[in-house]
Amino acid sequence: MVSLTSTLERLSFSHCDDLVDQDFFFLPSLNALKSLRVSSCHGINGTLCALLPSSLLELTLHECQNLKDLSSLIPNLPGSPPSSQALPRPPALTRLDVSGCKSLSSKGLDVLPCIPTLRHLRVAFTSITDEATPFVTPLRGLTSLDLTYASLTDKGIPNLASLASLTSLDLGLTSITDESISLLLSYFPYVHTLSLFRCKKVTGKGFAPSLQHSTTLTHNTLTKLDMGHCVQLNDEGVLALSDTLPSLLILDIPGCKEVTRAGLSRLSPSLNSLNLAGCKIARFIVEDSPALSPKNGVFSFQPEGEKECDKEEEEEEVEVKLLAFLAPLTQLRQLHLHKVTNIHLEELVQYPCARILQSLHLSESQDVNDEGLDFILTLKELRHLHLKDCRKLSLSGLKCLIDLPYLRVLHLPRAKAKACRAVLLPSMDSLRIVGL
């Protein structure tokens, strides 16, 4: 270690279980060091922070299970352990990542107000609670904040109001409710990325009243929203967020089984990526209308009590297109339909987005068959295609994919892996990544 050059800018240690803080005695001599990453080193308790060179800008202490506090970052902070090598000044960190340090408590973040230079902060998967949010309040220059899996509730959200410069906020797996949603968008006028992944108390209705909290905020900056597996998200919530977020480009709502086509029909036309993995977009038809049943892939309705007509008499049917919500999404380039049932590709290619669609995920979609692949050939701009565990596909059907000129990424059914390697892949020169 002592032979390390003083021009070293990046240093990384991973899964070094025998490594302890005292082993970093050489750090003060690395005057050009900009980034230090210590990952899954369970002997680290944080005292190495007293040895950091003042040149350091990025510090990652990921999944260091014995890390309990960061007080050593500021040697003069009351309670900091003494250092044998005093620094002329503490590092002006711009990025700090202590995600996965499960022993790190809210009190362990009391050093944060002493690092006003911070721009990016990750404290995901730690033991912090609402009590930690006041320590973040002074960081007015913060642009990204990750609080995933924190024991955070609506009580702690007002303490974040001073972070008006935030552009990215991750509150996934927290206990916030719709009450916080309307506050968040009024607090952060520049936020363009918001994650509420697995926030089980959020229905989406909180987006509707958010405009009432500001006379100038229109939420035109929010372009990416992740509400995957928000189990209470329903059609009313989707309608609320669609009306409030007109500039939304990326919407991820996988596993939101209460969302139906009624909600999806009001999505913003500006969307270019939509993730519906695991959603049951046909559910309300089957459950709420017993008289409605699929026939040859098309849902038809026959009024109750109507007797069977004579063969000569024309039967009146109302066709229901399951993907009709795609019609206004003329800018859509990425579509995730993983595990979505009752999907028929002949309908998909009827909509304007088919001409520009670049990424299509159909993994585990049991309705995809060889006949459907013929329709995929009309997606001339397709770059990414995922067909993992589509069990109705045969090798002969897959051969038609050779005619997709721009295909770069292809994930194939595992059952056909051996045959595809021998017959299909050698003929697909455009491919760069293949998943089998």
Side-chain angles (χ1 to χ4, degrees):
M1 291 294 183
V2 291
S3 64
L4 288 174
T5 174
S6 59
T7 60
L8 190 67
E9 293 189 355
R10 292 181 177 275
L11 191 58
S12 178
F13 298 87
S14 179
H15 295 88
C16 302
D17 290 336
D18 296 331
L19 198 65
V20 296
D21 296 74
Q22 290 76 10
D23 293 330
F24 288 88
F25 64 90
F26 59 88
L27 284 179
S29 65
L30 303 181
N31 298 323
L33 193 65
K34 299 288 193 297
S35 174
L36 175 62
R37 179 180 177 85
V38 181
S39 177
S40 299
C41 298
H42 303 317
I44 300 301
N45 60 30
T47 55
L48 69 85
C49 294
L51 303 173
L52 299 177
S54 57
S55 61
L56 198 69
L57 298 177
E58 301 178 2
L59 175 61
T60 298
L61 299 173
H62 176 64
E63 291 188 353
C64 295
Q65 302 299 341
N66 286 321
L67 181 68
K68 296 182 179 179
D69 68 73
L70 300 169
S71 57
S72 297
L73 273 172
I74 309 297
N76 297 325
L77 192 72
S80 300
S83 172
S84 58
Q85 302 185 41
L87 296 174
R89 62 181 176 87
L93 293 177
T94 59
R95 186 181 297 270
L96 177 62
D97 183 351
V98 288
S99 58
C101 298
K102 296 182 179 180
S103 297
L104 184 63
S105 64
S106 300
K107 185 66 171 66
L109 297 178
D110 60 356
V111 70
L112 291 181
C114 300
I115 318 176
T117 53
L118 271 183
R119 296 296 178 265
H120 309 276
L121 177 62
R122 290 196 69 210
V123 286
F125 295 95
T126 60
S127 299
I128 66 171
T129 64
D130 291 326
E131 296 176 0
T133 51
F135 299 135
V136 181
T137 300
L139 304 178
R140 299 180 184 275
L142 210 61
T143 58
S144 69
L145 176 61
D146 187 350
L147 294 169
T148 303
Y149 201 68
S151 297
L152 194 66
T153 68
D154 294 335
K155 181 181 177 181
I157 295 300
N159 291 325
L160 306 179
S162 63
L163 309 180
S165 297
L166 276 185
T167 59
S168 177
L169 177 61
D170 196 329
L171 296 172
L173 291 160
T174 60
S175 298
I176 64 170
T177 69
D178 288 309
E179 181 180 344
S180 290
I181 304 303
S182 56
L183 293 176
L184 289 173
L185 296 180
S186 64
Y187 291 160
F188 312 129
Y190 304 111
V191 68
H192 57 69
T193 302
L194 176 63
S195 176
L196 302 172
F197 179 78
R198 288 191 187 274
C199 289
K200 296 182 178 180
K201 297 181 180 180
V202 172
T203 69
K205 298 175 185 177
F207 285 99
S210 58
L211 292 177
Q212 299 174 6
H213 293 270
S214 172
T215 57
T216 59
L217 186 60
T218 59
H219 304 308
N220 284 327
T221 56
L222 188 57
T223 58
K224 181 177 181 180
L225 176 62
D226 184 356
M227 296 191 68
H229 299 279
C230 290
V231 293
Q232 292 196 50
L233 178 66
N234 53 29
D235 289 338
E236 186 177 350
V238 172
L239 293 175
L241 68 88
S242 298
D243 291 340
T244 305
L245 310 174
S247 298
L248 199 61
L249 298 177
I250 302 173
L251 177 61
D252 293 340
I253 52 173
C256 297
K257 298 182 179 180
E258 296 300 314
V259 176
T260 70
R261 296 194 326 281
L264 298 175
S265 63
R266 290 280 298 278
L267 291 176
S268 170
S270 63
L271 274 184
N272 60 44
S273 179
L274 177 61
N275 188 344
L276 298 175
C279 292
K280 297 184 177 180
I281 59 176
R283 176 186 55 79
F284 82 101
I285 296 178
V286 177
E287 293 181 0
D288 296 347
S289 301
L292 207 56
S293 59
K295 180 181 180 181
N296 298 325
V298 176
F299 282 86
S300 304
F301 175 73
Q302 184 175 2
E304 290 185 13
E306 183 177 342
K307 295 183 179 180
E308 201 172 306
C309 300
D310 295 332
K311 290 183 180 181
E312 295 78 19
E313 185 176 351
E314 184 179 355
E315 293 184 330
E316 182 180 356
E317 292 187 346
V318 178
E319 182 179 322
V320 179
K321 293 187 176 181
L322 299 181
L323 298 177
F325 61 88
L326 293 176
L329 305 183
T330 57
Q331 303 302 312
L332 199 66
R333 287 174 170 78
Q334 297 184 42
L335 180 60
H336 293 247
L337 296 173
H338 172 71
K339 284 188 176 181
V340 176
T341 57
N342 298 310
I343 293 302
H344 298 274
L345 296 176
E346 57 267 37
E347 182 191 350
L348 171 63
V349 300
Q350 298 173 12
Y351 301 110
C353 63
R355 295 193 294 269
I356 61 172
L357 200 64
Q358 296 182 0
S359 180
L360 180 60
H361 291 243
L362 297 169
S363 302
E364 298 186 52
S365 296
Q366 302 307 317
D367 298 300
V368 176
N369 53 30
D370 290 346
E371 184 181 349
L373 288 184
D374 290 336
F375 293 96
I376 284 184
L377 292 182
T378 65
L379 308 178
K380 296 300 184 181
E381 297 297 319
L382 202 62
R383 266 74 165 170
H384 297 222
L385 179 59
H386 293 248
L387 298 171
K388 181 181 177 182
D389 290 334
C390 293
R391 299 177 182 179
K392 293 183 179 181
L393 297 176
S394 69
L395 180 60
S396 59
L398 290 167
K399 285 182 179 179
C400 71
L401 300 179
I402 295 174
D403 296 327
L404 289 174
Y406 301 116
L407 199 62
R408 299 290 184 269
V409 179
L410 176 61
H411 290 257
L412 293 164
R414 284 178 289 188
K416 305 293 187 298
K418 185 175 180 179
C420 288
R421 278 198 300 266
V423 179
L424 180 63
L425 299 183
S427 303
M428 303 185 71
D429 297 332
S430 64
L431 285 180
R432 298 294 180 267
I433 299 175
V434 178
L436 297 171

